[in-house]
Amino acid sequence: MKRLLVLIVAMLLVPNLVKAEEELEDLLTKFEVVSGTFDEYYEIVTSFDDVSEVIEDEMYIIDDKILTIEDDLYLLENNELGRLDERLELIESEIDLLQKRLELFEYSLTLVGLYEESDQDNSEVSNRELSNTISKAEEWSELLFWSKVSIAERLVEIEKFPEDIANQAVEEMNADFNDNALNTARNWSDLLNWSNATIWENLQEVEGFTEEEADYAIENLE
């Protein structure tokens, strides 16, 4: 009976222990990112001879907090702080507070001209926004058969993407604008009973298709 009870308790505790260990791994990864960010700021500050005492003091405070969290994580890894799951939430909140403090520290460095967002960071943001813009442009092309001009205009006016990003997106997107013009022409022909001449004119003047795309649509309109 005693062995059975031990087995039952073990079965209940093991899943919780595994989950706690996984959470600890996540915390370690999160802490590595935060401490790596601080190392970057530390190198920036220490590379200048004339830095305000306020910034230096804040830097040393953050450094102390990082060392404290680092010690706690080490003790957790080695099971020297009691039950693992009882400490995880506390340390996670400490890391979150440290992250917010680092964001304020970065802002302080920016104000005094010691830190600027790197070209690589700007490039990553631009690439991500371009990817999002292309996805939205292709979505509209597939659903609404718009022209390149119409898509670019709506990306800026409706979705509020930067104009240069929108223009680049319509150049790089995957779309057949001849086919879009043809589908638009078919819709007008079926729903509005327009003549080919009216369709050809409106494809260019209203929808912004090129003359070549309008010609293709009329030539292939059944």
Side-chain angles (χ1 to χ4, degrees):
M1 183 67 179
K2 185 176 181 180
R3 288 183 179 179
L4 179 60
L5 289 174
V6 171
L7 180 60
I8 292 173
V9 171
M11 291 175 64
L12 292 173
L13 291 179
V14 167
N16 291 333
L17 180 60
V18 171
K19 181 181 179 182
E21 289 178 346
E22 290 175 350
E23 291 176 355
L24 175 58
E25 288 297 322
D26 292 340
L27 275 185
L28 289 170
T29 301
K30 188 175 183 179
F31 178 71
E32 286 178 4
V33 173
V34 173
S35 60
T37 301
F38 174 74
D39 289 342
E40 177 188 348
Y41 298 156
Y42 185 88
E43 289 181 8
I44 292 172
V45 173
T46 54
S47 66
F48 288 87
D49 295 328
D50 186 19
V51 178
S52 71
E53 291 184 3
V54 174
I55 288 180
E56 283 189 341
D57 290 344
E58 179 65 13
M59 184 177 69
Y60 292 130
I61 290 172
I62 294 174
D63 192 28
D64 286 340
K65 290 185 177 298
I66 285 178
L67 292 175
T68 300
I69 295 174
E70 195 171 42
D71 289 341
D72 285 348
L73 287 171
Y74 174 81
L75 294 174
L76 274 179
E77 282 187 286
N78 292 275
N79 296 319
E80 295 180 25
L81 285 179
R83 289 188 57 185
L84 184 61
D85 55 347
E86 293 178 351
R87 295 285 299 174
L88 284 173
E89 186 174 349
L90 176 60
I91 294 181
E92 183 174 16
S93 65
E94 291 174 353
I95 294 176
D96 288 339
L97 288 173
L98 177 61
Q99 195 167 24
K100 293 183 182 299
R101 192 155 192 161
L102 272 175
E103 290 172 0
L104 292 174
F105 187 61
E106 177 188 315
Y107 180 67
S108 299
L109 295 181
T110 304
L111 288 178
V112 297
L114 295 182
Y115 179 80
E116 293 182 1
E117 192 174 43
S118 68
D119 291 339
Q120 181 178 357
D121 291 337
N122 288 328
S123 176
E124 289 175 356
V125 171
S126 297
N127 290 338
R128 184 169 60 251
E129 186 160 38
L130 176 60
S131 177
N132 292 341
T133 312
I134 290 174
S135 296
K136 177 58 68 174
E138 291 177 348
E139 178 183 321
W140 282 347
S141 174
E142 292 172 4
L143 293 175
L144 301 171
F145 311 120
W146 283 344
S147 69
K148 185 182 294 186
V149 171
S150 294
I151 291 174
E153 288 177 351
R154 286 163 174 80
L155 286 172
V156 175
E157 295 173 3
I158 298 176
E159 296 295 333
K160 307 303 180 184
F161 287 109
E163 185 174 354
D164 58 332
I165 297 291
N167 290 333
Q168 185 177 352
V170 296
E171 294 299 330
E172 297 185 16
M173 66 183 290
N174 182 22
D176 185 339
F177 290 104
N178 281 334
D179 192 54
N180 284 3
L182 176 57
N183 279 299
T184 301
R186 284 172 176 164
N187 288 337
W188 287 347
S189 178
D190 293 341
L191 297 175
L192 303 174
N193 299 316
W194 281 355
S195 67
N196 285 359
T198 300
I199 292 173
W200 183 83
E201 181 178 343
N202 278 274
L203 283 172
Q204 297 173 76
E205 295 183 0
V206 176
E207 293 299 321
F209 287 103
T210 65
E211 183 176 347
E212 291 77 12
E213 290 162 352
D215 287 342
Y216 176 88
I218 298 303
E219 290 170 4
N220 291 276
L221 186 61
E222 297 176 357

